[in-house]
């Protein structure tokens, strides 16, 4: 019997994780990416690498949690510099009102067994002396951490000799179980997993266009900066409370209707974009400073936006402007119109799957998403309920969805 | 007048002469290692002109100061390994941002920048020169105390014409009508608002990695020149000046005149260099300097078709191996200066959106105009052709920025200079051997300690950067992108702010 062969289009963190999952079961996997290697283009090359259990909504929370579990227990071998580093997240509330929100967040985390700890203003300074002295308090999530995604993507692919990679060549067309490259080559397989990030619906041709009528995908640009070595004045990943909530729980359109963070001047849906403090320590003794959200493809670094980000970081860590900045960059998160990734078969096709639209949580969720894709493709029972992410979710009453629902154990 | 002043290095007091850079004061006091690399190797100044960032230290409490760009001052504190303060107490953020308005902003005060500033100002424009060095003059006219005679008329003309100077400031960001500058001493940011920009950022040395090139005491060829001009005594020192190009001879001449024992090691062959004979014959103005140079180097041990294969030493270079047509020679040395020609410094131009050619030069038309309206470029960043060329190109740029037409004689001169520059370049082709000196274990990216073996399988710059951290350090690739391994990588890196890594804009002021 021939060894089953799968195709993965896109070697970002998600595609690479999918390839590893499928190869694990003894399948042959062919990976195609237009970039010069895994994780070198797209969101994976730009992302911060905070592995965070985000309490946005219960489904998102579960996907993050499973992702984090897998990063902690099942990451590919990497040098100490790049591997999972359990810094913990410290969510910071600027004032009493935000602190209340954090209490609510803690309850939600507790309900799914995520350990967290409330920290009052005085303890906060003891825990992280570099924080501003006037902050109301925080919530510490100790098992969150940091991963360097480009190396992780590469090592996912290196993990198995069953994976063959084709870099530097684009996919032009995707049929059902078939992929056509721009250089004319055609690959066929049991199934195709399309994980090309922001371009996923375009690349899927007609099927993608049909789906796009129901769920749209759009880029949300972010600005980041990195400080020089020898500047790691924080041990935790520091994030201001309310930030990810605003970013992940709502879509581009709805976010402007109810902004959750009262201090940000504007929101992700508006042209000027929003900024929030997120500071990530790196094993290289550096700090990564973020971040912003603004609709659109990533352009050249906009000095004004970068300044807003750093100003916001300074509110929480006053000495951040005493650290030299080495480099700045932008990247795009692929956001869906309902705030959830597309993870499952492409409606109308039998052998073509989609794994994209993770907004700012793709690194965290990649291992869980890949596991889920494998389990569904191989017809195994799923660790998580797959339906919240099924691409057919907008067709709620559609028989295709109800039919498939029966195969979920 | 040179007074003796007191500085504090890692807590110890040191008496040094005034009017010299911190780098040269430290070297004179026997401190050539200024910092530790990520893997703990001692490192010291390499380029002595602000591009390698290897000499950085914490100066007066400001992190990341390039010590080659600041002069010593009474009471100055210099800390080599400064741990970060994990505190928010007593942090006062100093924002001294001011705006300067000017018609023409000139970036760089070398020959090109000075000439451009004079021309524009004499035609009625208000002009501001921005330069990160402590004094005007650029590379060739770098000095200690008073400027060299060649530079004085230009500096004087600029003063009379009312040219403003922001000396000690790097241009780190901006757009054609608004430049952001940062003080090399304390990071203070200012804005320069202007209607046109003349980029005259010159060139830097090309460094090629070889075993031992990261040892303190191994510096660039031009770096040695700057250090000597900045006051580093070399009398009685055994120095090897190696690499390629006419700069080696100029440096050797200076070192010899200061009493050093110099060995020159030029990788180009005699045959290659004799190709210069015809262009030299056609260029009478160069006869006398050439003859003088030649006479002053009489008696200097000189090898052609030869190159340094390794440097060795404990904490400081002590021994150099050179490959000569007669075989390997090992020399005991006090210092090694090695540079493989010049490469354009075009980061600011790229950041402003100018077109850069495949060799890194800024593309300009006959009037020194780039493709970006209101942005001109002159001097070595448009082509390596020496200081006379830089002066003439600067004049053209200055005249054009004032809305006038340069005379055709001036334009013809610029064309002739370019011809000379190309001839020099052709006479010093880099041989394959010098491009492949680094072994797998040798560092190729000094800032991040990336070794040649690590990027051996890489195809793209992105991979080298993102996976192996090549080019991710303080100099942002200025040093390591010159190596052949890096040149072989596909793709290019885009320039983004900060165009030069500057000290942080704020400092901690501990309240007592
Ligand atoms: C500023 C910023 C900060 C972030 N911070 C975090 C964080 O802290 N934590 C976190 O969990 N997430 C974070 N994210 C989100 C995370 O980076 C992304 O969700 C994740 O990287 C997406 O991975 P992906 O594999 O889906 O897509 P991508 O990484 O975009 O990969 C898609 C791949 O497909 C390839 N491709 C595209 N089109 C074609 C084609 N036609 N043919 C062949 N190949 C093609 C591309 O080359 C690319 O390699 C951040 C994102 C940004 C922008
Ligand atoms: C190390 C070195 C030594 C040299 N020695 C000689 C020699 O002995 N004889 C000889 O004939 N030629 C020498 N040259 C060649 C010399 O560069 C040219 O002859 C001539 O000086 C070029 O003039 P320029 O105005 O184009 O640039 P430069 O003289 O190089 O001046 C450029 C100026 O721009 C400044 N600058 C660059 N970037 C920024 C920024 N972002 N912000 C602010 N300021 C900036 C620099 O500080 C510098 O002062 C040397 C070159 C180098 C690199
Ligand atoms: S040598 Fe400075 S970044 Fe490579």
């Amino acid at each position: 019997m021939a060894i089953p062969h799968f195709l993965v289009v896109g070697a970002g963190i998600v595609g690479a994780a999918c390839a590893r999952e499928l190869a694990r079961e003894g399948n042959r996997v062919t990976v195609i990416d237009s970039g010069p290697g895994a994780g070198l283009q797209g969101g994976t090359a730009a992302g911060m690498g905070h592995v965070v259990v985000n309490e946005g909504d219960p489904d998102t929370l579960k996907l993050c949690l499973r992702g984090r579990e897998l990063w902690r227990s099942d990451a590919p071998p990497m040098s100490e510099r790049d591997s999972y580093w359990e810094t913990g997240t410290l969510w910071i509330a600027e004032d009493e009102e935000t602190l209340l929100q954090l209490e609510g967040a803690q309850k939600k985390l507790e309900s799914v067994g995520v350990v967290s700890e409330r920290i009052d203003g005085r303890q906060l300074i003891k825990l992280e002396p570099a924080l501003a002295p006037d902050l109301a308090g925080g919530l510490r999530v100790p098992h969150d951490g940091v991963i360097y995604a480009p190396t992780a993507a590469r090592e996912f692919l290196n993990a198995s000799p069953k994976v063959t990679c084709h870099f530097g060549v684009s996919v032009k067309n995707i049929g059902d179980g078939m992929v056509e490259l721009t250089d004319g080559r055609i690959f066929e397989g049991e199934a195709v997993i399309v994980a090309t990030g922001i371009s996923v619906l375009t690349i899927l041709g007609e099927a993608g266009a049909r789906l796009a009528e129901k769920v749209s995908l759009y880029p949300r640009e972010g600005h980041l900066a990195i400080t020089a070595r020898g500047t790691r004045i924080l041990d935790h990943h520091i994030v201001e409370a309310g930030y990810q909530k605003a970013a992940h729980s709502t879509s581009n359109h709805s976010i402007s209707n109810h902004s959750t963070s009262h201090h940000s001047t504007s929101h992700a849906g508006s042209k000027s974009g929003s900024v929030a403090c997120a500071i990530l320590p790196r094993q290289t003794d550096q700090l990564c400073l973020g971040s912003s959200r603004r609709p659109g493809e990533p352009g050249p670094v906009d000095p004004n936006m970068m300044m807003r980000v750093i100003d916001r970081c300074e509110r929480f860590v006053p000495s951040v402007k005493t650290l030299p900045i080495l480099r700045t960059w932008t990247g795009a998160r692929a956001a869906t119109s309902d705030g959830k990734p597309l993870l499952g078969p492409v409606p109308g096709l039998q052998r073509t799957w989609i794994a994209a639209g993770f907004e700012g949580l793709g690194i965290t969720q990649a291992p869980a998403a890949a596991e889920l894709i494998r389990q569904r493709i191989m017809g195994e029972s799923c660790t998580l309920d797959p339906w919240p992410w099924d691409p057919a979710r907008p067709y709620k009453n559609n028989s295709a969805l109800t039919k498939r629902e029966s195969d979920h154990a | 007048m040179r007074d003796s002043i007191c500085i504090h290095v890692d807590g110890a007091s040191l008496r040094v002469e005034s009017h010299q850079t911190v780098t040269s004061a430290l070297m004179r006091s026997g401190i050539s290692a200024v910092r530790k690399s990520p893997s703990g190797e001692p490192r010291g100044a390499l380029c002595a002109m602000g591009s390698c960032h290897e000499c950085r230290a914490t100066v007066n409490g400001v992190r990341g100061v390039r010590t080659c760009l600041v002069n010593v001052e009474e009471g100055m504190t210099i800390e080599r390994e400064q741990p970060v303060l994990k505190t928010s107490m007593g942090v006062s953020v100093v924002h001294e941002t001011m705006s300067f308005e000017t018609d023409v902003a000139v970036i760089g005060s070398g020959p090109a920048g000075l000439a451009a500033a004079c021309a524009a100002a004499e035609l009625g424009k208000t002009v501001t020169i921005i330069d990160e060095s402590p004094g005007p003059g650029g590379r060739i006219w770098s000095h200690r105390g008073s400027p060299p005679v060649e530079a004085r008329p230009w500096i004087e003309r600029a003063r009379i014409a009312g040219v403003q100077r922001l000396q000690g400031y790097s241009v780190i960001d901006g757009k054609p009508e608004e430049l952001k500058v940062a003080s090399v001493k304390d990071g203070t940011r200012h804005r320069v608002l202007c209607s046109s920009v003349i980029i005259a950022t010159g060139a830097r040395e090309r460094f090629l990695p070889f075993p031992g090139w990261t040892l303190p005491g191994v510096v660039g060829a031009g770096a040695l020149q700057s250090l000597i001009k900045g006051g580093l005594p070399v009398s009685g020192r055994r120095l090897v000046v190696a690499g390629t190009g006419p700069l080696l001879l100029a440096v050797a001449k200076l070192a010899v005149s200061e009493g050093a024992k110099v060995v020159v090691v030029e990788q180009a062959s005699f045959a290659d260099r004799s190709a210069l004979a015809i262009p030299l014959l056609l260029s009478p103005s160069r006869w006398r300097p050439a003859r003088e140079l030649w006479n002053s180097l009489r008696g200097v041990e000189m090898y052609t078709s030869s190159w340094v294969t390794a440097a060795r030493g404990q904490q400081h270079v002590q021994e150099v191996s050179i490959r000569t047509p007669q075989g390997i020679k090992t020399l005991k040395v006090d210092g090694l200066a090695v540079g493989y020609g010049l490469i354009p410094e075009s980061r600011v131009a790229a950041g402003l959106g100018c077109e850069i050619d495949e060799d890194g030069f800024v593309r300009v038309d006959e009037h020194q105009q780039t493709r970006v309206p209101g942005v001109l470029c002159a001097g070595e960043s448009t082509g390596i052709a020496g200081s006379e060329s830089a002066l003439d190109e600067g004049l053209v740029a200055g005249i054009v920025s004032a809305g006038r037409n340069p005379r055709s004689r001036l334009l013809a001169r610029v064309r002739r200079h370019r011809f000379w520059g190309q001839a020099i370049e052709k006479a010093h082709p880099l041989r394959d051997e010098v491009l492949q000196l680094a072994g797998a274990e040798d560092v190729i990216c000094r800032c991040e300690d990336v070794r040649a073996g690590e990027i051996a399988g890489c195809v793209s710059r992105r991979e080298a950067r993102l996976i192996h951290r090549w080019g991710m350090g303080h100099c942002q690739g200025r040093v390591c992108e010159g190596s052949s391994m890096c040149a072989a990588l596909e793709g290019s890196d885009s320039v983004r702010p900060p165009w030069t890594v500057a000290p942080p804009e704020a400092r901690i002021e501990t309240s007592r």
Side-chain angles (χ1 to χ4, degrees):
Chain A
M1 202 184 84
I3 303 169
H5 179 209
F6 293 94
L7 306 171
V8 175
V9 184
I13 194 71
V14 174
C18 289
R20 178 181 76 158
E21 285 294 322
L22 291 164
R24 267 191 168 160
E25 309 242 327
N27 303 304
R28 237 165 19 95
V29 183
T30 299
V31 177
I32 299 138
D33 196 295
S34 52
L40 300 177
Q41 288 189 162
T44 305
M48 262 194 157
H50 182 203
V51 174
V52 52
V53 174
N54 187 61
E55 44 78 40
D57 69 84
D59 296 325
T60 304
L61 198 163
K62 282 182 207 146
L63 197 60
C64 286
L65 182 57
R66 182 65 185 152
R68 190 183 80 176
E69 254 167 52
L70 292 172
W71 277 122
R72 295 178 72 202
S73 63
D74 193 29
M78 281 184 267
S79 73
E80 201 186 321
R81 188 180 75 191
D82 297 334
S83 51
Y84 190 70
W85 180 33
E86 211 157 275
T87 58
T89 305
L90 196 53
W91 295 92
I92 312 282
E94 206 180 351
D95 49 34
E96 295 302 325
E97 196 187 326
T98 326
L99 195 58
L100 274 176
Q101 287 175 21
L102 279 183
E103 283 175 27
Q106 187 184 28
K107 293 212 181 75
K108 278 199 218 159
L109 291 174
E110 221 166 45
S111 71
V112 286
V114 176
V115 182
S116 68
E117 176 193 2
R118 285 221 310 270
I119 314 275
D120 71 26
R122 284 217 321 280
Q123 282 173 293
L124 208 54
I125 296 291
K126 288 214 187 94
L127 200 59
E128 289 287 3
L131 287 173
D134 64 337
L135 299 166
L139 183 70
R140 180 168 173 263
V141 188
H143 302 311
D144 282 359
V146 172
I147 191 89
Y148 185 61
T151 308
R154 175 194 177 93
E155 296 310 324
F156 274 145
L157 299 182
N158 285 341
S160 164
K162 300 254 182 221
V163 176
T164 314
C165 300
H166 299 274
F167 294 124
V169 58
S170 285
V171 164
K172 193 167 86 184
N173 257 317
I174 298 181
D176 209 8
M178 184 277 287
V179 160
E180 187 189 352
L181 308 190
T182 41
D183 64 11
R185 276 183 292 174
I186 289 180
F187 290 101
E188 280 182 81
E190 304 291 312
V192 186
I193 295 91
V194 191
T196 57
I198 192 71
S199 67
V200 82
L201 293 180
T202 331
I203 204 182
L204 276 166
E206 242 175 69
R210 256 182 279 123
L211 185 54
E213 286 167 20
K214 301 277 184 184
V215 210
S216 42
L217 252 188
Y218 36 79
R220 254 189 215 156
E221 183 202 66
H223 274 66
L224 298 179
I226 187 111
T227 62
R229 283 177 185 264
T231 60
R232 209 178 68 209
I233 53 173
L234 298 166
D235 294 325
H236 292 82
H237 183 117
I238 302 290
V239 201
E240 68 170 289
Y243 160 62
Q244 297 235 344
K245 193 160 180 221
H248 302 298
S249 60
T250 45
S251 76
N252 221 26
H253 310 297
S254 54
I255 202 162
S256 38
N257 299 334
H258 64 280
S259 164
T260 43
S261 63
H262 52 276
H263 45 245
S264 50
T265 45
S266 49
H267 358 87
S270 73
K271 267 271 180 290
S272 63
S274 72
V275 299
C277 164
I279 308 181
L280 173 123
R282 293 262 305 123
Q283 280 101 319
T284 48
D285 213 11
Q286 297 174 288
L287 295 178
C288 185
L289 312 176
S291 167
S292 62
R293 284 191 155 76
R294 169 162 81 175
E297 296 284 353
V301 171
D302 167 357
N304 290 328
M305 182 55 101
M306 202 66 252
M307 204 161 65
R308 284 176 59 198
V309 169
I310 293 169
D311 283 347
R312 192 65 196 157
C313 289
E314 190 188 21
R315 164 67 189 97
F316 293 85
V317 181
S319 58
V320 63
K321 284 188 182 165
T322 70
L323 311 174
I325 289 190
L326 284 194
R327 200 173 161 90
T328 54
W329 67 95
T330 64
R333 311 165 180 96
T336 57
S337 46
D338 65 1
K340 287 181 182 165
L342 297 166
L343 211 50
V346 178
L349 299 180
Q350 308 308 310
R351 298 193 292 156
T352 302
W353 298 65
I354 195 169
F358 297 85
E359 222 279 352
L361 290 170
I363 297 168
T364 305
Q365 296 173 340
E371 178 188 62
L372 196 111
I373 289 276
R374 185 205 74 210
Q375 288 168 337
R376 289 195 69 184
I377 289 184
M378 308 308 285
E380 299 164 11
S381 68
C382 296
T383 311
L384 297 175
D385 174 10
W387 306 118
W389 300 288
D390 194 288
R393 62 186 178 251
Y395 312 85
K396 258 278 184 276
N397 306 318
N398 188 306
S399 56
L401 182 57
T402 17
K403 196 177 114 243
R404 283 223 194 88
E405 214 147 355
S406 57
D407 60 37
H408 170 46
Chain B
M1 275 281 36
R2 275 162 210 170
D3 324 319
S4 154
I5 58 169
C6 186
I7 61 172
H8 309 283
V9 181
D10 294 336
S13 300
L14 211 63
R15 287 216 80 80
V16 298
E17 278 181 16
S18 63
H19 296 97
Q20 60 177 330
T21 63
V22 175
T23 301
S24 93
L26 292 177
M27 284 183 105
R28 287 182 83 157
S29 310
I31 304 173
S32 54
V34 190
R35 57 173 216 102
K36 287 234 160 60
S37 76
S39 64
E41 294 175 7
R43 294 284 167 77
L46 174 69
C47 75
M49 54 169 274
S51 53
C52 75
H53 292 243
E54 285 277 46
C55 65
R56 67 185 188 272
T58 300
V59 176
N60 287 341
V62 180
R63 301 179 68 83
V65 172
R66 288 169 280 171
T67 58
C68 69
L69 292 182
V70 298
N71 283 338
V72 287
E73 285 164 17
E74 178 64 44
M76 187 177 248
T77 61
I78 295 138
E79 290 147 301
R80 288 187 289 170
E81 298 298 321
Q82 167 82 337
V84 273
L85 285 179
K86 286 191 178 181
T87 180
S88 63
M89 305 311 263
V91 171
S92 74
V93 176
V94 196
H95 286 285
E96 294 170 87
T97 306
M98 292 192 286
S99 291
F100 297 90
E101 272 181 53
T102 188
D103 294 333
V104 182
V106 177
I107 308 170
S109 65
L114 282 172
C118 291
E122 285 163 2
L123 290 170
K125 294 287 172 186
T126 59
V127 179
T128 304
I129 299 187
I130 307 149
D131 192 299
E132 57 184 12
S133 314
R139 302 301 157 224
I140 185 168
W141 296 333
S142 76
H143 59 276
R144 179 183 186 199
S146 56
V149 281
E150 304 88 335
R152 276 179 227 158
W154 294 100
I155 296 173
E156 191 53 18
R157 259 176 81 177
R159 194 185 59 76
I160 293 168
V163 172
Q164 301 290 316
R165 279 199 280 121
L166 271 173
Q167 207 78 48
Y169 285 87
S170 313
V171 176
I172 58 163
D173 187 3
K175 32 187 201 264
E177 60 284 0
E178 183 182 328
L179 302 172
K180 197 170 181 187
V181 305
S183 156
V184 296
K185 260 195 215 167
D186 63 15
T188 308
R189 299 327 197 229
H190 296 306
R191 275 194 311 265
V192 176
L193 310 172
C194 52
S195 23
S196 59
V197 179
I198 300 176
I199 301 164
T201 48
R204 60 179 191 268
E205 281 189 89
R206 179 192 281 118
F207 296 109
L208 299 176
F210 58 87
W213 75 303
T214 53
L215 273 173
V218 178
V219 299
L224 177 63
Q225 184 184 44
S226 311
L227 288 167
I228 296 175
K229 287 186 192 168
L232 185 72
V234 291
S235 177
R237 299 292 167 125
R238 297 158 304 173
L239 303 175
V240 169
V241 176
T244 205
L247 183 60
L248 299 191
L249 302 182
V251 177
K253 177 182 171 192
L254 178 68
V256 166
S257 73
E258 296 287 320
K261 298 192 194 102
V262 177
V263 176
V264 174
V265 181
E266 163 64 71
Q267 60 92 45
S269 68
F270 185 76
D272 282 332
R273 292 199 304 157
S274 44
L276 268 183
I278 291 166
L280 186 62
L281 271 176
L282 295 175
S283 180
S285 71
R286 291 192 167 85
W287 294 350
R288 213 165 65 113
R291 202 169 48 238
E292 279 173 11
L293 183 63
W294 203 244
N295 289 338
S296 68
L297 290 174
R298 223 178 256 156
V300 168
E301 208 176 326
M302 201 168 314
Y303 297 93
T304 52
S305 301
S306 303
W307 56 93
V308 170
T309 55
R312 283 174 291 270
Q314 298 291 325
Q315 306 288 314
H316 189 96
V317 59
Q318 288 156 330
E319 194 181 272
V320 171
S321 289
I322 57 174
R323 172 105 185 73
T324 72
Q326 289 77 44
I328 298 271
K329 267 191 163 33
T330 301
L331 308 171
K332 295 267 177 257
V333 298
D334 298 306
L336 167 62
V338 50
Y340 285 94
L342 303 179
I343 46 180
E345 179 52 62
S346 47
R347 289 276 206 294
V348 169
L352 286 174
C354 304
E355 198 186 347
I356 311 289
D357 75 14
E358 60 274 20
D359 298 318
F361 293 106
V362 182
R363 282 228 163 95
V364 288
D365 64 12
E366 218 196 14
H367 285 173
Q368 306 298 134
Q369 297 176 110
T370 69
R371 294 276 176 88
V372 181
V375 179
L376 297 89
C377 186
E380 306 254 86
S381 25
T382 66
I384 308 292
S387 57
E388 288 177 51
S389 174
L391 283 169
D392 285 339
E393 288 186 20
L395 289 176
V396 172
I399 292 165
V400 171
S401 74
R404 303 292 182 82
N405 264 324
R407 298 238 170 101
S408 54
R409 270 182 57 196
L410 178 59
L411 295 175
R413 255 190 358 235
V414 170
R415 281 195 298 271
R416 275 203 303 279
H417 294 311
R418 294 234 165 104
F419 168 70
W420 173 251
Q422 282 157 5
I424 295 254
E425 186 79 23
K426 275 204 206 105
H428 298 88
L430 287 179
R431 57 176 69 232
D432 285 347
E433 292 98 321
V434 302
L435 297 172
Q436 289 151 12
L437 291 169
E441 286 306 308
D442 293 314
V443 163
I444 51 164
C445 171
R446 299 167 67 106
C447 295
E448 286 293 323
D449 274 352
V450 182
R451 288 163 210 278
E454 291 178 64
I455 71 155
C458 277
V459 279
S460 69
R461 285 196 175 212
R462 279 194 80 85
E463 182 181 353
R465 274 197 96 91
L466 286 169
I467 304 290
H468 304 289
R469 302 193 55 81
W470 165 82
M472 289 274 216
H474 250 262
C475 85
Q476 285 289 300
R478 277 180 175 76
V479 173
C480 53
E481 71 189 9
S483 80
S484 62
M485 284 139 258
C486 302
L489 297 170
E490 282 167 15
S492 57
D493 187 32
S494 63
V495 171
R496 71 274 311 285
W499 298 337
T500 295
V501 176
E505 59 188 291
R507 38 182 190 282
I508 296 189
E509 285 188 342
T510 32
S511 41
R512 295 180 195 188

